[in-house]
Amino acid sequence: MTTSSILRKDTITCLMNKKVCGLSGDIYLRGHRIQPDNLSVYNTQRSKTDSALGMGFVQAILAVLSGAVRGCTFDDDTRTGKVTIASLGASGMYQMSWDRRGTDLLLGGFINGPAYQAAMVGLVMEVVRSTAESHGNNALVSAWYTLLRQMDACYPRTDTSMGWDSRTIRTACENTAANTWIRKAIENVADELYFAMCYPLPDISTIRGVFVQESSVLHGHEGTTRLLSNELMNPYTVDERDMAGAKAPSTSPTETRLPDGDLDGDLDIDLDVDTAPACDPDTKTPPTTAPAAPKSPKPARVRKPKPEPSSAEESTKKADAERAEVTRKEMAAADAKAAEHAAAEQKKKILPVVGTSSYERINRAFCRPGGLFLYGETATGKTMWSKQVAIANGWGLEIVVFKPGVKDEHVYGTSVQNEDRRWEWRDGPVVSWARRASKGEKVVLILDELARGHKSVADGVMDLLNTYTADELSAMGIPIPETAGPYHIVRVFDTMETFVFPIDLVKIIATANLGDSYQGMDLSDPAFRRRWTAGFYQLDPYTPQELAQILAKHLDIPATHALISALIRADQEVQAYQAKEESLVMETNLAILINWGIDVKRWAATATKTRGRVQIKDAFITAAKDVWIDMVCPLKGSRRDQTVFTALVNIVTRHAPEIL
């Protein structure tokens, strides 16, 4: 059920009066004031001493910096669009939308009310307007790109289309000389974003209503043009002439800052940062290239027009000039320190971005016509990368997870009895995929763990992969769509429906574990394999370097930490043991290592401290027994094989670190 719309005042109030910006490590708190130099160009008539910094806006800015925006699609006029946002405290994704076709700004997809994600949608909307139309609120977009440049100057990224990790963002918020320009830019972006959401810029004589609602404000087929991640996160491809600062309005804003008040409540749709589990780094949009680290730029500030001084102001011109000179020197010193820090960081060895090789290969296949089949060992990212590629390219998703007993008819749909005991049809994932595509939406169908399905599924999948020309459709008596082919056909015999849609609107990706250890349906038929024209790929296991980076993100510790090194060494010896003895039910994998590391940290947090250091050797061994040893150990009779169990415990003990 859709919740009632919430007026602009309530929406903006929640953004302004959020208690604390958790992503900053609680550095930014409600009550922080914006420095006069960092005010919006539209803020010329506002009091220079009473401009509050809204924590909801700051939280939104830092969330976008972290790479939480995973995709965006919009219509050609940019008045409507959809934004895919990752939850910061869980592994979920949220589909939010905007509609500014009227005088008010409508936002949809906010299941828990006007949370800070509303400001994230507002920022993405303005970047879309600027990049797609070469105009829009350039002051906000210029301030946003200035912030990205300042972040790169102090904390260079390995790829400028990606965000920063949570630890780096918290460090960047600290009130240090090196972060001076970053903190200034955060304030400037927040104030520009406030005005962009409150007024239909550049005319600020009329306050714009901002309405949020639980359901989307768009239909499924609206929003088809994709915003590339580098257009949102990479300021170095932007034409500086298009990013010139906007002129200040001649009309004075009639609204004042909303009063302080505790209206934050529990409106955020993610968990509290301090108590939430670590973000899943594998859901981050990976790079398709690895450009060189950007040069340290000079701060690009938005110029603010200054009113002509009155006679009363003439007496203070000298004092203002002196203060300006002091400020200039402070800025120059901060620039020099930031450049020095950036140069030092660039000299450090930067490990490759996690999953880059797998992502690049899958992304190349995604750009080719036809279906894609991925197979390999468990926990190598087959399903995760499939979903991420689809989201990063701005496509919708339909997912089927196969298991023994799932037949071809189950994935199409079935008839169920309603409350009146009458039978009615319910679409399955395949029919839902076809229905969405026939309406013009780009949709990916992911067939997860395909080998575990019933043998009838293989024939159904082959039928889905078949393509037809316009002449073949005409010969079969099927109406030819207006969009050029070739086409896919999906027939639903229970409802007597036939869906026809161009192959350019859809993609089929299947994943499976193949080999002697996975006895599912036979997928070795050449007729089945040749239909996967986009690629039939095996994904290799993660390298030790990739494992270290993934574990670092999940455990929130450096990749070189002793705990991560111990986990990887133990995993390698277990793999070697299995290759020699072939006695384990299954091998250790990424998921096991993550859970093991999390449990070690939990044990270590409560362990007895000795000489100021936490003993974790016992925690390392105990966590292994609790999390995975019995899972991989075979049975001997009705009990576990004690010989194998002892061998695994000995492996863990040999690699257990002494201290944390």
Side-chain angles (χ1 to χ4, degrees), residues 12 39 60 71 86 167 203 271 299 307 340 389 400 432 436 455 493 504 558 621:
I12 302 300
L39 293 172
R167 181 190 295 271
D203 177 18
L271 302 176
E340 181 181 353
V389 166
V400 183
S432 178
R436 292 169 66 181
K455 63 181 181 180
F493 297 103
D504 291 342
I621 298 171

Side-chain angles (χ1 to χ4, degrees), residues 177-299:
N179 293 334
T180 299
W181 282 99
I182 293 175
R183 289 170 60 86
K184 286 178 176 290
I186 289 174
E187 291 185 8
N188 189 208
V189 175
D191 208 38
E192 297 289 0
L193 184 53
Y194 172 88
F195 277 87
M197 296 191 68
C198 285
Y199 301 94
L201 300 176
D203 177 18
I204 61 172
S205 59
T206 303
I207 298 176
R208 175 169 62 188
V210 180
F211 298 82
V212 302
Q213 64 185 50
E214 177 180 335
S215 60
S216 175
V217 295
L218 304 182
H219 297 293
H221 65 280
E222 293 179 308
T224 57
T225 306
R226 179 168 57 90
L227 176 69
L228 299 176
S229 60
N230 67 310
E231 292 173 335
L232 176 65
M233 299 299 293
N234 182 7
Y236 306 101
T237 60
V238 180
D239 189 335
E240 290 292 343
R241 292 171 298 178
D242 293 337
M243 290 295 102
K247 294 182 179 180
S250 57
T251 306
S252 301
T254 57
E255 186 188 48
T256 59
R257 287 284 179 186
L258 296 166
D260 290 340
D262 184 9
L263 297 179
D264 178 49
D266 295 319
L267 294 174
D268 288 349
I269 61 177
D270 55 61
L271 302 176
D272 183 82
V273 173
D274 291 334
T275 59
C279 290
D280 184 353
D282 295 344
T283 61
K284 285 189 176 180
T285 305
T288 56
T289 59
K295 294 182 179 180
S296 176
K298 290 185 177 181

Side-chain angles (χ1 to χ4, degrees), residues 283-457:
T283 61
K284 285 189 176 180
T285 305
T288 56
T289 59
K295 294 182 179 180
S296 176
K298 290 185 177 181
R301 296 182 56 77
V302 178
R303 293 187 178 273
K304 303 180 177 64
K306 297 181 179 180
E308 291 297 326
S310 63
S311 58
E313 295 173 324
E314 292 293 341
S315 60
T316 63
K317 289 180 64 177
K318 184 177 180 180
D320 289 343
E322 291 175 351
R323 285 194 296 270
E325 178 63 17
V326 173
T327 301
R328 186 191 67 78
K329 291 180 179 180
E330 291 176 348
M331 292 177 178
D335 281 346
K337 187 156 187 176
E340 181 181 353
H341 178 81
E345 288 294 323
Q346 289 174 354
K347 291 181 180 178
K348 296 180 180 179
K349 181 180 179 180
I350 301 175
L351 291 175
V353 178
V354 176
T356 297
S357 58
S358 295
Y359 179 86
E360 287 180 349
R361 195 179 187 199
I362 296 173
N363 193 57
R364 288 196 302 269
F366 192 89
C367 297
R368 292 194 288 268
L372 172 63
F373 192 99
L374 303 175
Y375 71 97
E377 299 175 8
T378 185
T380 53
K382 299 183 296 295
T383 305
M384 179 271 296
W385 285 128
S386 299
K387 292 187 290 186
Q388 189 56 57
V389 166
I391 293 171
N393 283 278
W395 289 48
L397 284 175
E398 290 288 344
I399 303 175
V400 183
V401 180
F402 287 94
K403 56 186 178 181
V406 174
K407 299 181 180 179
D408 181 45
E409 61 191 52
H410 296 151
V411 300
Y412 276 78
T414 187
S415 294
V416 298
Q417 282 186 309
N418 58 23
E419 295 179 354
D420 299 330
R421 302 186 66 79
R422 294 185 178 182
W423 293 93
E424 60 181 26
W425 174 261
R426 297 286 175 84
D427 288 348
V430 169
V431 174
S432 178
W433 168 74
R435 198 180 299 279
R436 292 169 66 181
S438 65
K439 294 178 181 179
E441 185 177 358
K442 291 185 174 182
V443 192
V444 178
L445 176 65
I446 295 180
L447 306 174
D448 193 25
E449 300 290 355
L450 180 60
R452 297 184 183 275
H454 190 270
K455 63 181 181 180
S456 65
V457 173

Side-chain angles (χ1 to χ4, degrees), residues 639-656:
R639 302 178 64 83
R640 69 190 177 204
D641 189 319
Q642 191 61 34
T643 301
V644 176
F645 177 82
T646 302
L648 293 174
V649 172
N650 289 338
I651 291 174
V652 171
T653 303
R654 279 195 293 273
H655 298 289

Side-chain angles (χ1 to χ4, degrees), residues 557 561-563 600-601 604-605 613-616 657-660:
I557 55 179
H561 195 281
L563 174 57
V600 171
K601 290 186 66 178
R613 294 179 175 180
V614 178
Q615 294 292 123
I616 67 166
E658 295 291 341
I659 58 174
L660 183 62

Side-chain angles (χ1 to χ4, degrees), residues 411-575:
V411 300
Y412 276 78
T414 187
S415 294
V416 298
Q417 282 186 309
N418 58 23
E419 295 179 354
D420 299 330
R421 302 186 66 79
R422 294 185 178 182
W423 293 93
E424 60 181 26
W425 174 261
R426 297 286 175 84
D427 288 348
V430 169
V431 174
S432 178
W433 168 74
R435 198 180 299 279
R436 292 169 66 181
S438 65
K439 294 178 181 179
E441 185 177 358
K442 291 185 174 182
V443 192
V444 178
L445 176 65
I446 295 180
L447 306 174
D448 193 25
E449 300 290 355
L450 180 60
R452 297 184 183 275
H454 190 270
K455 63 181 181 180
S456 65
V457 173
D459 294 334
V461 172
M462 290 175 64
D463 190 38
L464 290 178
L465 291 169
N466 289 333
T467 60
Y468 303 86
T469 65
D471 290 340
E472 289 171 332
L473 292 181
S474 178
M476 290 186 289
I478 298 176
I480 302 174
E482 296 180 359
T483 310
Y487 307 93
H488 286 300
I489 299 176
V490 174
R491 294 182 175 89
V492 188
F493 297 103
D494 294 72
T495 62
M496 301 301 291
E497 292 178 283
T498 299
F499 297 100
V500 182
F501 41 88
I503 63 172
D504 291 342
L505 289 179
V506 295
K507 182 70 66 175
I508 300 175
I509 303 178
T511 71
N513 293 313
L514 301 183
D516 295 337
S517 299
Y518 301 96
Q519 298 295 335
M521 62 181 178
D522 182 14
L523 299 181
S524 61
D525 182 3
F528 175 84
R529 293 196 172 205
R530 69 176 175 80
R531 280 174 165 78
W532 302 94
T533 56
F536 199 97
Y537 293 164
Q538 173 182 317
L539 294 192
D540 296 326
Y542 292 109
T543 66
Q545 292 78 14
E546 290 172 338
L547 276 177
Q549 291 295 305
I550 295 173
L551 291 171
K553 298 289 182 67
H554 279 278
L555 304 181
D556 197 25
I557 55 179
T560 56
H561 195 281
L563 174 57
I564 291 180
S565 299
L567 291 171
I568 294 175
R569 288 196 303 269
D571 174 62
Q572 290 173 333
E573 188 168 348
V574 171
Q575 302 289 338

